[in-house]
């Protein structure tokens, strides 16, 4: 059916029946970086009726998800006593990314630029890169990013979104854990911002060269500190960092009430009206409190509470036209039928029953379905002055960066 719809859309574009309209796409999905591990452990995934799910990605696609996120570490084996969940090197993610794109999802690739979890409190330089000068690091991040993307592309995997860094509110590639002087950036100092900008611009240059149509996401998580948040993106403008999307983490037990997120989104839309916004990480527990909670929450820790949070989140995002992405973090976690221990508390599958939780369908309601040319319709309306470009996945782009077929001015154009 997908190929038939694609052919019909192309025929409509080539003919003179009228102008093409591409629906604005809202992306919904989640981070599924550990799915192969759960599948290998024989986790029992079930739908809301308790029926076994043969393939998780197919189920998610059929339920309306249209994008998936995957994290990437440089060399997890190099980090001593690394968390086994931080195992995603290139060899691990390549088959998963291939499955994701072949299923029809848009892929968000999340470079951690570390051997282990990178977040606001830990941006440790990969062991193999430690000892390099800043000048050498500028080249290294470019080379590594380019080589990684070329490997993916040669295997038929082209990300639609790329994150050069994970939760980089205070910079990245600080140095080795335990160093006496770490190269962080803060809103109260100009130290290391120029260095950080060069690292980002070199990584992004590699992304633009290999995957010119991919949207670049700069991922931060200071939604409860709006001044810190806006200062970050103002610095990006001063440093002439070439990016497309503001990516945010939002967890109510770490960041505060929904009103906090609402205020942050309003401020970002006002200060950076040309940037799209995505929630690239979120979650809420269906069972019990997530360790490390530092905020009171408005929802009980239950399946009903998780669903209430999900509904309020969707309702909040729909109030903000610049926000077009929602990704639930680690939603594939499921220990049902396995020997896996140390449960994560906020996935979208119940580890006791294996069933998908109610919040799954609620999250899916944010999306606009599967992106693609099949959603571009010919309705005979004129489109004078329309200078918008779309690729054949239905994604709006600023302009083509490589040869191919595009939709422009309501017509199919060979560029």
């Amino acid at each position: 059916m997908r190929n038939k719809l694609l052919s019909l859309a192309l025929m409509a574009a080539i003919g003179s029946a009228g102008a093409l309209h591409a629906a604005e796409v809202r992306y919904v999905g989640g981070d599924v970086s550990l799915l192969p591990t759960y599948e290998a452990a024989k986790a029992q995934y079930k739908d809301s009726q308790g029926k076994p799910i043969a393939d998780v990605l197919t189920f998610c696609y059929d339920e309306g998800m249209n994008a998936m996120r995957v994290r990437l570490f440089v060399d997890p084996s190099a980090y001593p006593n690394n968390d086994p969940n931080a195992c995603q090197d290139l060899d691990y993610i390549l088959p998963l990314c291939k499955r994701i794109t072949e299923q029809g999802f848009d892929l968000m690739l999340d470079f951690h630029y570390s051997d282990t979890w990178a977040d606001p409190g830990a941006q440790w330089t990969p062991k193999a890169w430690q000892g390099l000068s800043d000048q050498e690091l500028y080249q290294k991040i470019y080379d590594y990013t380019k080589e990684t993307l070329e490997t993916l592309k040669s295997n038929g995997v082209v990300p639609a979104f790329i994150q050069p860094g994970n939760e980089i509110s205070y910079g990245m590639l600080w140095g080795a854990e335990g160093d006496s002087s770490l190269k962080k950036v803060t809103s109260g100092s100009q130290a290391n911002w120029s260095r950080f900008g060069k690292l980002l611009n070199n990584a992004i240059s590699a992304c633009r060269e290999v995957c010119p149509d991919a949207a670049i996401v700069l991922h931060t998580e200071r939604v409860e500190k709006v001044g810190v948040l806006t200062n970050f993106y103002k610095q990006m403008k001063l440093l002439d960092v070439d990016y497309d999307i503001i990516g945010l983490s939002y967890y109510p037990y770490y960041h505060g009430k929904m009103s906090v997120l609402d205020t942050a989104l309003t401020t970002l839309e006002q200060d950076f009206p040309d940037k799209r916004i995505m929630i690239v990480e979120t979650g809420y527990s269906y069972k019990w409190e997530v360790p490390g909670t530092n905020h009171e929450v408005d929802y009980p820790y239950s399946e009903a509470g998780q669903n209430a949070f999900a509904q309020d989140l969707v309702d909040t995002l729909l109030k903000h036209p610049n926000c077009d992405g929602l990704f639930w973090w680690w939603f594939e976690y499921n220990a049902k039928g396995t020997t896996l221990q140390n449960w994560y508390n906020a996935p979208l599958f119940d580890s006791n029953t294996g069933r998908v939780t109610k919040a799954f369908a609620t999250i899916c309601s944010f999306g606009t379905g599967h992106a693609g040319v099949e959603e571009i319709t010919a309705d005979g309306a004129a489109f004078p002055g329309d200078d918008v470009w779309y690729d054949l996945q239905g994604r709006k782009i600023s302009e083509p960066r490589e040869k191919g077929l595009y939709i422009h001015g309501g017509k199919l154009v060979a560029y």
Side-chain angles (χ1 to χ4, degrees), residues 36-204:
T37 297
Y38 299 126
E39 291 175 330
K42 307 298 183 185
Q44 298 175 24
Y45 292 95
K46 299 178 182 180
D47 67 15
S48 59
Q49 304 302 312
K51 297 178 181 178
I53 295 171
D55 181 84
V56 172
L57 291 178
T58 300
F59 172 78
C60 292
Y61 187 86
D62 290 345
E63 293 298 307
M65 288 187 172
N66 55 16
M68 291 292 168
R69 181 173 181 257
V70 173
R71 59 182 171 265
L72 174 64
F73 303 102
V74 176
D75 182 7
S77 67
Y79 190 79
N81 302 314
N82 202 8
D83 180 349
N85 298 311
C87 61
Q88 290 81 12
D89 59 12
L90 185 56
D91 287 341
Y92 184 102
I93 73 162
L94 182 54
L96 175 60
C97 291
K98 195 171 180 65
R99 284 176 59 194
I100 287 170
T101 55
E102 288 180 346
Q103 181 65 58
F105 295 104
D106 281 323
L107 171 67
M108 179 179 289
L109 180 64
D110 176 17
F111 282 96
H112 275 239
Y113 296 127
S114 181
D115 293 330
T116 189
W117 301 108
D119 58 39
Q123 294 282 340
W124 313 128
T125 303
K127 184 175 182 180
W129 302 7
Q130 293 171 13
L132 297 179
S133 67
D134 285 346
Q135 290 296 327
E136 290 170 326
L137 275 176
Y138 302 150
Q139 186 64 44
K140 187 65 178 179
I141 198 171
Y142 170 85
D143 291 341
Y144 168 75
T145 303
K146 184 175 182 179
E147 290 165 6
T148 298
L149 293 173
E150 286 177 337
T151 298
L152 289 170
K153 194 171 184 178
S154 68
N155 284 274
V157 176
V158 181
F161 310 100
I162 304 174
Q163 282 186 225
N166 186 78
E167 293 188 334
I168 52 175
S169 305
Y170 301 111
M172 62 185 182
L173 296 172
W174 291 346
E177 187 174 2
D179 280 359
S180 58
S181 179
L182 298 177
K183 296 182 177 181
K184 301 181 180 181
V185 298
T186 65
S187 59
S189 169
Q190 286 303 307
N192 299 315
W193 280 103
S194 177
R195 171 185 183 270
F196 181 37
K198 290 176 182 176
L199 289 168
L200 281 174
N201 278 324
N202 277 21
I204 292 168

Side-chain angles (χ1 to χ4, degrees), residues 221-226 229 248-252 254-268 295 298 316 320:
E221 45 61 69
R222 298 283 85 182
V223 294
E224 83 281 24
K225 296 183 178 180
V226 177
L229 184 67
L248 302 175
S249 292
Y250 171 65
Y251 301 93
Y254 295 140
H255 299 117
K257 296 180 182 295
M258 194 68 67
S259 59
V260 172
L261 175 63
D262 191 30
T263 297
L265 293 174
T266 297
T267 303
L268 290 171
H295 282 279
D298 291 331
T316 298
H320 295 277

Side-chain angles (χ1 to χ4, degrees), residues 223-226 248-267 279 281-284 295-299 304-320 323 326 328 359 362-363 366:
V223 294
E224 83 281 24
K225 296 183 178 180
V226 177
L248 302 175
S249 292
Y250 171 65
Y251 301 93
Y253 32 78
Y254 295 140
H255 299 117
K257 296 180 182 295
M258 194 68 67
S259 59
V260 172
L261 175 63
D262 191 30
T263 297
L265 293 174
T266 297
T267 303
I279 306 301
E281 286 190 24
T282 193
Y284 197 82
H295 282 279
E296 292 185 4
V297 294
D298 291 331
Y299 315 94
Q306 183 192 60
N307 190 47
F309 163 76
Q311 187 62 66
D312 284 354
L313 179 60
V314 168
D315 291 344
T316 298
L317 298 187
L318 289 175
K319 291 163 46 182
H320 295 277
C323 191
L326 173 56
W328 194 279
T362 302
I363 290 297
F366 176 76

